[in-house]
Amino acid sequence: MKKKKSDFEASFWAGRTGGCPLQLFDAFFSKYPLGEAKQWLSSMMVYAVKRKVFSEKDPSVVFHFYLSLRSFIRAAHRLSLTSGKYTLNHPPERLSPMVQGALSDEEYADPLLVFRRAFEDYRLKEFDHFITGIAYFSLGPYGDYPDGNSIEPFLHLQKMLDAAQVILERGEREVG
């Protein structure tokens, strides 16, 4: 039986990522460094409820970030399902809160836990619905708001961004 490669739908913005979540994270952070990605996500949230257009001069940048974030979430979901495939290097004994980001001590020690928790609370479709909603409402001055709870998926995404960065910095690698 042939092994099926994951499709993170990243060909538009990143080209080929090989179906490996860690390669997609690397491609994502090369386009959007952690601070910039978190700022984009926060701005989209704010503008989704402001009834103002986030980027009037060039709305395509919002669409590009949306597609990138959508692929990131798909890779995170894949990682949550196959977290036993990856070995974790131990975190440094002393760490600064800046390095830890929004992660708890337990999540910093095991960043894969962030992905498992996020997808225990929300399905992939729910994350898709959330980012589609904030992208849509941040692109126009609509009189309505995104459906449902936007805060919890937003917080999960913030943590997933931090956890993915920690994973790349600590040099996790795939086993076998």
Side-chain angles (χ1 to χ4, degrees):
M1 187 163 133
K2 248 186 171 178
K3 192 175 180 181
K4 185 182 173 196
K5 288 261 185 184
S6 296
D7 180 16
F8 303 130
E9 299 177 17
S11 60
F12 177 77
W13 65 273
R16 182 163 154 47
T17 58
C20 174
L22 302 182
Q23 288 176 345
L24 187 117
F25 290 165
D26 193 41
F28 180 85
F29 288 123
S30 70
K31 299 262 187 216
Y32 298 99
L34 179 62
E36 188 178 321
K38 291 174 90 171
Q39 182 59 47
W40 271 96
L41 182 59
S42 296
S43 295
M44 284 174 64
M45 277 290 291
V46 168
Y47 277 87
V49 296
K50 254 188 176 184
R51 296 183 180 152
K52 292 184 179 178
V53 179
F54 177 40
S55 180
E56 289 186 33
K57 292 182 180 176
D58 189 6
S60 67
V61 295
V62 175
F63 183 67
H64 189 273
F65 182 70
Y66 158 77
L67 289 176
S68 304
L69 191 58
R70 189 169 182 261
S71 298
F72 176 90
I73 291 169
R74 282 170 166 50
H77 181 256
R78 178 65 174 188
L79 193 62
S80 76
L81 298 174
T82 60
S83 58
K85 271 180 78 174
Y86 298 90
T87 62
L88 302 172
N89 295 328
H90 295 288
E93 288 183 29
R94 303 187 94 185
L95 69 129
S96 98
M98 293 292 284
V99 173
Q100 195 168 343
L103 304 178
S104 68
D105 292 341
E106 179 186 19
E107 291 167 338
Y108 183 76
D110 181 10
L112 298 172
L113 184 61
V114 172
F115 302 109
R116 288 191 298 269
R117 286 179 177 167
F119 290 102
E120 284 172 7
D121 291 348
Y122 293 93
R123 294 184 328 256
L124 181 60
K125 284 185 179 185
E126 292 170 311
F127 277 110
D128 270 351
H129 184 76
F130 163 71
I131 62 166
T132 301
I134 64 168
Y136 176 81
F137 285 103
S138 67
L139 285 172
Y142 304 106
D144 212 358
Y145 297 105
D147 291 341
N149 178 4
S150 295
I151 301 301
E152 288 183 40
F154 170 76
L155 294 174
H156 277 299
L157 269 175
Q158 291 279 342
K159 282 188 165 198
M160 284 193 276
L161 289 167
D162 284 336
Q165 183 68 45
V166 167
I167 287 170
L168 291 176
E169 287 175 359
R170 285 183 30 202
E172 276 72 6
R173 61 195 180 282
E174 192 170 350
V175 176

